Amino acid sequence: MEIQKDEFNEMIFSRINKLIDDYQLIKEGDKIAIALSGGKDSVLTIHALKNYQMQSKFDFELVAISVDEGIDGYRQHGIDSAISNAELCDVPLIIKSFSEEEGFDLDDIYSYFKSACIPCGVFRRNILNKTAYEWGADKIATGHNLDDEIQSFLMSFSRGDTVKFSKFGPELDKIHEKLVPRIKPLWNTPEKDVGTWAVLNNIDIHLAECPYSNLSLRAKIKDFLNKTESQHPGTKSNVMESFKKILDVPSTRTFLNECEECGEPTSGKICKTCEIKSIISENMN
């Protein structure tokens, strides 16, 4: 059966709009920073929030932030996609890079770690948060879809890291003045729907897989879930339903200090960014 573009767009945007309304992810006067990598999920997020802004009965402001990690032969297309989609949606775009902010590219330092995802995730989140905070954002909208959320849940579950459960759900509470809370407008949107939307609308997206991603635990869990879903349809939905029940269980709220080195929020004395910078410095010297 051929999928009709207009009907599909109506379905996917209505689902996202309902999630925003049900959880009040966006409120009057909010300043929303969109984490825009140029991949399909973040691109759908900027289009969906622009759509919501045009239909909304209240005012809020949008800006997009892209972070260039410095991965040769991979990242530039993502930045190009971010630029074209930000222009298409008439949303201002701020571009930051590891090179300008930290003095090195990911390609320069990934070998010092078990997985390139470790320093990449820490620096990317840090740069995104600082940029959004400096802009005055009330929230950061990320492109985490239903599949991403399930994968993160199972990763934390497999590690016995129940503290991370407080980071799940469509909206995260503000727990420190300098830490901009996240919202996830695609929280209940399956990854396959995101891909279908991009194809039907001929959207310019960055399709390439990160050359370092195959080394991560997330990639292994994603592959496992996709294989299990193909053999036992409904598996992902069942995991999500179980996950929603855990969301209703009160979680222990982490108290945050400010890093003794840089002043950014952290649960310890020294933040992960400064810890990783120390490892990089030791290896470079």
Side-chain angles (χ1 to χ4, degrees), residues 81-136:
S81 171
I83 293 171
S84 66
N85 280 286
E87 289 178 350
L88 189 61
C89 293
D90 193 25
V91 173
L93 174 65
I94 301 171
I95 300 177
K96 297 285 185 173
S97 71
F98 280 23
S99 178
E100 291 180 356
E101 299 298 313
E102 306 296 348
F104 48 74
D105 288 332
L106 182 63
D107 284 346
D108 298 328
I109 54 93
Y110 79 92
S111 61
Y112 306 150
F113 302 88
K114 183 178 179 180
S115 167
C117 298
I118 295 171
C120 183
V122 169
F123 287 124
R124 187 160 31 83
R125 286 190 295 270
N126 179 259
I127 293 171
L128 176 64
N129 181 75
K130 287 199 295 186
T131 304
Y133 179 76
E134 290 167 1
W135 180 70

Side-chain angles (χ1 to χ4, degrees), residues 157-226:
F157 186 78
S158 67
R159 291 166 172 160
D161 190 0
T162 55
V163 173
K164 288 280 179 65
F165 287 175
S166 64
K167 295 184 178 181
F168 299 142
E171 180 178 29
L172 305 187
D173 294 332
K174 186 167 186 173
I175 58 176
H176 191 279
E177 180 62 31
K178 293 183 180 179
L179 195 62
V180 184
R182 310 295 178 93
I183 59 173
K184 308 169 190 174
L186 309 190
W187 185 68
N188 59 347
T189 298
E191 184 175 27
K192 65 178 182 180
D193 285 356
V194 182
T196 300
W197 169 81
V199 171
L200 284 177
N201 291 275
N202 194 29
I203 298 293
D204 175 21
I205 58 171
H206 186 207
L207 288 169
E209 287 285 337
C210 174
Y212 300 121
S213 65
N214 65 319
L215 302 175
S216 68
L217 174 60
R218 179 179 293 276
K220 294 177 176 63
I221 289 180
K222 179 178 181 178
D223 184 58
F224 164 75
L225 281 170
N226 287 339

Side-chain angles (χ1 to χ4, degrees), residues 9-10 17 35 38 58 62 65 69 73 100 105 121-122 146-147 158 162 174 181 192 203 213 222 238 242 248 253 258:
N9 287 345
E10 174 63 26
N17 291 351
F58 55 85
L62 294 173
I65 302 172
E69 305 93 344
E100 291 180 356
D105 288 332
V122 169
L146 181 146
D147 291 58
S158 67
T162 55
K174 186 167 186 173
K192 65 178 182 180
I203 298 293
S213 65
K222 179 178 181 178
N238 291 337
S242 298
D248 294 332
R253 183 166 175 168
E258 291 190 3

Side-chain angles (χ1 to χ4, degrees), residues 8-20 25 40-41 44-45 48 142-151 170 184-198 236 240 244:
F8 189 85
N9 287 345
E10 174 63 26
M11 179 275 292
I12 202 166
F13 285 130
S14 293
R15 179 202 288 148
I16 293 170
N17 291 351
K18 185 176 187 303
L19 182 76
I20 294 173
L25 300 185
K40 64 184 187 305
D41 302 304
L44 173 56
T45 302
T142 66
H144 288 87
N145 60 48
L146 181 146
D147 291 58
D148 293 326
E149 195 78 344
I150 293 172
Q151 292 158 21
K184 308 169 190 174
L186 309 190
W187 185 68
N188 59 347
T189 298
E191 184 175 27
K192 65 178 182 180
D193 285 356
V194 182
T196 300
W197 169 81
K236 292 180 181 178
M240 190 63 168
K244 286 179 180 178

